[in-house]
């Protein structure tokens, strides 16, 4: 049996069952490699203008300039998902499949969430507990997204101050320390320009999905669903 064929019980094989993750994961590495190639070319152009020696591909991959460009995008994406995961607990959008039904704002009952005594035989083990494990697991997605955001934002600040100081040295200016960089215009410009684009994308998706459809996508309502239908996925 090949990895992509159907299992004996008729369910899809490994590749099809995990195609969403595999395709987007592969696309991520392709795009990251493309960014590295383009980024090195741009960086070497800047060095050439300054009359400095150009860097090789390996040196660029290990540079703070490449690291800050990557991490500043990562932290904005994880911020988007962190805010979206927590925001959709309480915030609603009438007619959007991205929103819960209008009468379900909040953390919902244990019965609806299949927690504690309402856990089923196939529920995650910690969902059926009544102690700290249930509390932690019931918030694990938001906590991990928040941790990824803070971690990548910190990485951006560390690589950012190194890249920023490298630029200052090339201009014969004195470097600054990490604390000073955290309140600098460069750090907040990098952060805020990414945050606003992510927030705009979430707001646009929530509103446009009220009136527009994509047949077969779980991010869209069924094609024939009413515009006022809320929390219904196709």
């Amino acid at each position: 049996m090949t990895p992509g064929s159907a299992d004996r019980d008729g369910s899809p094989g490994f590749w099809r069952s995990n195609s969403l993750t595999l395709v987007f994961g592969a696309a991520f590495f392709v795009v990251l490699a493309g960014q590295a190639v383009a980024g090195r070319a741009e960086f070497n152009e800047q060095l050439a203008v300054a009359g400095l020696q150009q860097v090789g591909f390996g040196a660029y991959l290990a540079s703070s300039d490449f690291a800050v460009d990557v991490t500043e995008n990562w932290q904005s994406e994880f911020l988007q998902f962190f805010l979206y995961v927590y925001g959709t607990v309480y915030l609603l959008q009438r007619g959007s499949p991205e929103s819960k039904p209008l009468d379900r704002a909040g953390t919902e009952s244990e019965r609806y969430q299949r927690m504690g005594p309402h856990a089923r035989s196939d529920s995650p083990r910690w969902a059926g507990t009544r102690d700290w494990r249930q509390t932690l697991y019931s918030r694990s997605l938001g906590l991990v997204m928040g941790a990824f955001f803070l971690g990548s934002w910190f990485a951006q600040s560390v690589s950012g101050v190194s890249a920023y100081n490298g630029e200052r040295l090339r201009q014969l200016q004195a470097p600054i320390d990490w604390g000073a960089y955290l309140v600098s215009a460069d750090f907040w410009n990098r952060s805020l320009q990414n945050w606003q684009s992510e927030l705009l994308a979430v707001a646009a998706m929530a509103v446009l999905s009220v009136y527009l459809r994509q047949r077969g996508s779980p991010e869209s309502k069924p094609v024939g669903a009413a515009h006022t239908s809320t929390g219904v996925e196709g």
Side-chain angles (χ1 to χ4, degrees):
M1 181 185 300
T2 61
S5 62
D7 296 333
R8 291 182 178 179
D9 60 0
S11 60
F14 174 81
W15 293 106
R16 180 161 184 162
S17 298
N18 300 278
S19 58
L20 184 61
T21 299
L22 293 171
V23 168
F24 277 89
F28 161 74
F29 286 108
V30 170
V31 173
L32 183 63
Q35 177 189 348
V37 172
R40 174 180 173 257
E42 180 185 18
F43 186 61
N44 278 335
E45 287 179 2
Q46 295 173 355
L47 293 178
V49 170
L52 299 175
Q53 183 178 359
Q54 298 188 353
V55 300
F57 191 68
Y60 177 70
L61 290 181
S63 71
S64 57
D65 292 83
F66 177 65
V68 70
D69 287 343
V70 171
T71 54
E72 74 173 81
N73 286 291
W74 289 5
Q75 55 89 6
S76 64
E77 295 297 334
F78 285 120
L79 174 65
Q80 175 193 140
F81 286 111
F82 169 72
L83 294 177
Y84 192 71
V85 167
Y86 272 103
T88 50
V89 175
Y90 298 98
L91 304 179
L92 306 169
Q93 175 58 56
R94 180 181 177 87
S96 175
E98 302 297 315
S99 167
K100 294 192 295 185
L102 302 180
D103 60 349
R104 282 175 43 199
T107 55
E108 303 176 339
S109 67
E110 287 193 348
R111 178 184 295 274
Y112 193 88
Q113 287 289 314
R114 303 175 188 173
M115 297 166 56
H118 305 288
R120 301 179 179 179
S121 59
D122 59 349
S123 297
R125 184 175 60 180
W126 282 20
T129 61
R130 301 302 297 268
D131 52 23
W132 63 269
R133 292 173 295 175
Q134 184 198 77
T135 301
L136 179 63
Y137 187 71
S138 65
R139 294 165 175 80
S140 56
L141 180 59
L143 290 173
V144 168
M145 289 296 178
F148 282 166
F149 161 65
L150 293 175
S152 55
W153 198 22
F154 174 74
Q156 177 202 334
S157 71
V158 173
S159 57
V161 68
S162 180
Y164 184 67
N165 281 333
E167 180 63 26
R168 289 178 64 88
L169 289 173
R170 288 193 290 272
Q171 297 175 0
L172 303 180
Q173 296 177 315
I176 62 174
D177 60 24
W178 182 68
Y181 181 69
L182 290 182
V183 296
S184 70
D186 183 81
F187 176 69
W188 285 103
N189 179 55
R190 285 180 177 274
S191 297
L192 294 174
Q193 69 178 331
N194 285 285
W195 293 2
Q196 54 87 14
S197 64
E198 302 301 334
L199 294 172
L200 175 62
V202 171
M205 183 63 183
V207 172
L208 293 177
S209 61
V210 175
Y211 304 102
L212 306 179
R213 308 286 188 270
Q214 179 59 54
R215 182 174 179 175
S217 175
E219 300 303 314
S220 167
K221 293 186 289 189
V223 176
H227 291 326
T228 55
S229 298
T230 306
V232 178
E233 296 180 345

